Amino acid sequence: MAEKITPDHIKERIREILMEDEWSIRQESAPRAIWAFVAEDRAGRKIVVGQNKGREDQVIIQGAVTIDEVTSNRLGQLSEEEHNNFLWDLRFELLRTDLDFNGIEMPLKRIEVKTRVFLDALAKDTFLIRTSQVRKGVLVILWMIAKKFAQQPPPKQLGFQR
Amino acid sequence: MEDKEQFGLGKLPDSAVNNTSELFAEEDSKFTKRDFEATLIKASQRIKKTKPSPRPS
């Protein structure tokens, strides 16, 4: 009879795959998880991988970006129209990644992206493709913010108002 | 859209999350270095201008 695959088996397999792919990993606690790892790439971008209680048939790969106070203030200085346009652009860019996302609302505090792999598809190739998707999702968020503020917006109060 | 607490593995601790401050920290440090170099150049030019010419012997 075949040995039953437990979350511990999955955890060890994921640890092996991530380390082979040169991620540095550490164990982390997450509220709903049986186990979770934070994995960091060479550039220091973080993603979290784990399995949720009651959903042992899948592995979740998640990434998040917290908006710091300085960035939040910069966003707050944009006009309402510009702010809304930025949020729409961000939503459409994230839709292209095929990831689920959360937190794109005013005021921006934390934006999260995630995907999942079911155990019946948990091959190294599939897992690393999804991992890469989540990392790209994190980069989309970070780089769209960086691009937005690559040039300081002009002060709203300067000049004549029509 | 899912509830924030129910999204994926739940609310992750800050240590597991990327932060936008990293973006601008890098940018600021570059500016600081550039500003510092510009200040040095200006200061050296000022010193050259204010250096007294040698007195005729």
Side-chain angles (χ1 to χ4, degrees):
Chain A
M1 201 173 127
E3 194 185 350
K4 190 180 177 240
I5 298 171
T6 66
D8 273 345
H9 290 130
I10 304 297
K11 178 181 166 185
E12 286 317 307
R13 181 68 187 128
I14 299 292
R15 185 204 296 273
E16 277 173 20
I17 295 174
L18 287 170
M19 288 177 76
E20 280 171 23
D21 202 43
E22 299 186 351
W23 291 80
S24 64
I25 58 174
R26 65 168 196 277
Q27 204 149 329
E28 186 59 82
S29 62
R32 305 171 67 201
I34 306 168
W35 60 267
F37 290 133
V38 178
E40 207 169 313
D41 69 9
R42 284 183 183 177
R45 309 288 182 224
K46 294 171 201 153
I47 60 166
V48 184
V49 184
Q51 278 189 291
N52 270 346
K53 292 166 195 160
R55 292 310 307 262
E56 288 88 351
D57 62 333
Q58 57 187 252
V59 172
I60 291 178
I61 309 164
Q62 190 167 344
V65 176
T66 296
I67 314 302
D68 72 306
E69 204 181 327
V70 174
T71 308
S72 187
N73 287 341
R74 288 181 181 197
L75 283 164
Q77 285 168 12
L78 299 176
S79 68
E80 194 180 339
E81 188 188 0
E82 208 174 352
H83 200 162
N84 279 334
N85 284 340
F86 177 68
L87 296 190
W88 279 116
D89 289 345
L90 194 48
R91 286 186 190 108
F92 282 114
E93 285 300 325
L94 286 175
L95 276 179
R96 288 177 213 257
T97 64
D98 276 339
L99 299 169
D100 296 329
F101 55 88
N102 197 11
I104 304 190
E105 60 204 11
M106 287 198 276
L108 280 180
K109 287 182 179 166
R110 181 182 281 196
I111 306 170
E112 296 180 288
V113 289
K114 76 162 166 73
T115 189
R116 59 189 176 171
V117 188
F118 285 93
L119 296 196
D120 53 10
L122 189 61
K124 184 176 174 179
D125 187 50
T126 312
F127 176 73
L128 288 179
I129 288 171
R130 302 280 166 84
T131 302
S132 174
Q133 269 183 314
V134 173
R135 174 163 50 183
K136 282 178 189 166
V138 166
L139 288 177
V140 164
I141 300 164
L142 287 170
W143 287 354
M144 280 205 64
I145 291 170
K147 186 182 163 198
K148 184 76 197 162
F149 297 110
Q151 291 183 323
Q152 288 283 343
K156 280 193 292 180
Q157 303 305 323
L158 280 185
F160 295 101
Q161 304 262 328
R162 283 188 209 181
Chain B
M1 221 182 265
E2 291 179 48
D3 183 278
K4 274 183 191 169
E5 304 297 324
Q6 300 298 313
F7 189 81
L9 299 161
K11 191 174 187 305
L12 303 173
D14 287 343
S15 59
V17 171
N18 303 282
N19 195 304
T20 49
S21 63
E22 295 155 25
L23 285 173
F24 298 110
E26 195 181 328
E27 183 186 291
D28 290 347
S29 69
K30 278 181 196 158
F31 285 140
T32 305
K33 193 180 172 208
R34 197 171 61 185
D35 289 348
F36 178 64
E37 285 166 354
T39 309
L40 278 182
I41 292 165
K42 276 184 195 164
S44 65
Q45 285 169 345
R46 214 175 298 132
I47 290 166
K48 276 181 198 164
K49 277 182 193 166
T50 54
K51 197 176 171 185
S53 51
R55 290 179 184 176
S57 53

